[in-house]
Amino acid sequence: MLFVGPRGSKLAFGDFSRSRFRVWPTDLDLLQHMNNGKYLSVMDVARFDLIQRNGTMKVFKRENWYPVVVGQTISYRKSLNPWQRFWIESKIIGFDEQAVYMEQRFVRPDADRAPEIYARAYVRARILRRGGGVVPVAEILEKTGARAEDFDLSDDILAWGQATRLPSTRDAAGSIW
């Protein structure tokens, strides 16, 4: 992606990217299909393609920011098997007061019928400053030129984001549990 991304077509902030992949023997688990952990690694590469092609990477470099995943969930419908080609469609779907939300879909082409979704993931990410601290979503929107009202984040995804947050402080007894 370091070489393909810059040559890919430019995208608007709200567009989806399509990153193409193949299942290699090193991607397989003992059951001879793509390992569930590999899905998360490949999603990372596809997100990089998205932020590179939509111009967000330039903003990150200029502002000295970087993205981190703070939550993700994935649902699997079918297995990806050795040598199969697939693509990941990645799209920014909205924001809450702290984070950016993305959807990523693993899609297989099929010559006989419409492409099929094999897995779908939702990702919640925060943008951090290299010098420390979290970049407020309002600042992200301002610097990228994106408009929050152009995105329609479902209440279900917002609820998932709230429900999966980890506490940021210890309890009264000093325990993180």
Side-chain angles (χ1 to χ4, degrees):
M1 285 302 160
L2 289 171
F3 302 106
V4 175
R7 294 189 309 226
S9 60
K10 299 293 182 204
L11 300 172
F13 192 82
D15 289 347
F16 76 88
S17 69
R18 182 175 286 155
S19 308
R20 298 183 192 298
F21 298 91
R22 179 186 296 268
V23 179
W24 296 104
T26 55
D27 300 334
L28 305 178
D29 63 14
L30 294 174
L31 300 175
Q32 297 301 300
H33 58 225
M34 193 157 94
N35 179 282
N36 60 336
K38 188 65 177 186
Y39 282 79
L40 304 182
S41 295
V42 176
M43 286 167 47
D44 250 353
V45 174
R47 283 191 303 275
F48 183 78
D49 178 51
L50 172 66
I51 65 173
Q52 197 170 18
R53 292 176 51 207
N54 74 9
T56 304
M57 183 59 77
K58 288 180 183 175
V59 174
F60 287 178
K61 286 181 180 180
R62 183 183 71 229
E63 299 297 325
N64 214 13
W65 298 345
Y66 63 100
V68 294
V69 170
V70 295
Q72 57 192 345
T73 186
I74 185 167
S75 298
Y76 305 94
R77 189 167 167 271
K78 286 187 169 182
S79 295
L80 286 169
N81 295 311
W83 310 112
Q84 286 185 316
R85 293 179 186 269
F86 65 97
W87 65 75
I88 299 179
E89 296 175 343
S90 302
K91 181 177 177 137
I92 296 168
I93 57 173
F95 314 88
D96 65 17
E97 69 282 352
Q98 297 180 332
V100 179
Y101 289 79
M102 290 164 272
E103 179 179 353
Q104 294 187 277
R105 300 184 300 189
F106 289 74
V107 180
R108 281 261 313 127
D110 190 319
D112 298 328
R113 57 183 195 267
E116 189 173 2
I117 297 172
Y118 274 47
R120 181 180 65 199
Y122 292 103
V123 179
R124 184 172 185 267
R126 295 180 82 179
I127 311 304
L128 304 180
R129 297 180 198 280
R130 293 226 179 260
V134 177
V135 180
V137 168
E139 187 176 351
I140 296 166
L141 294 171
E142 175 191 336
K143 300 279 173 114
T144 60
R147 297 171 355 132
E149 57 270 15
D150 291 341
F151 297 86
D152 185 26
L153 190 59
S154 76
D155 290 339
D156 289 344
I157 299 299
L158 281 171
W160 164 77
Q162 286 288 336
T164 58
R165 287 182 183 173
L166 291 175
S168 59
T169 59
R170 295 177 182 270
D171 64 18
S175 173
I176 59 171
W177 298 103

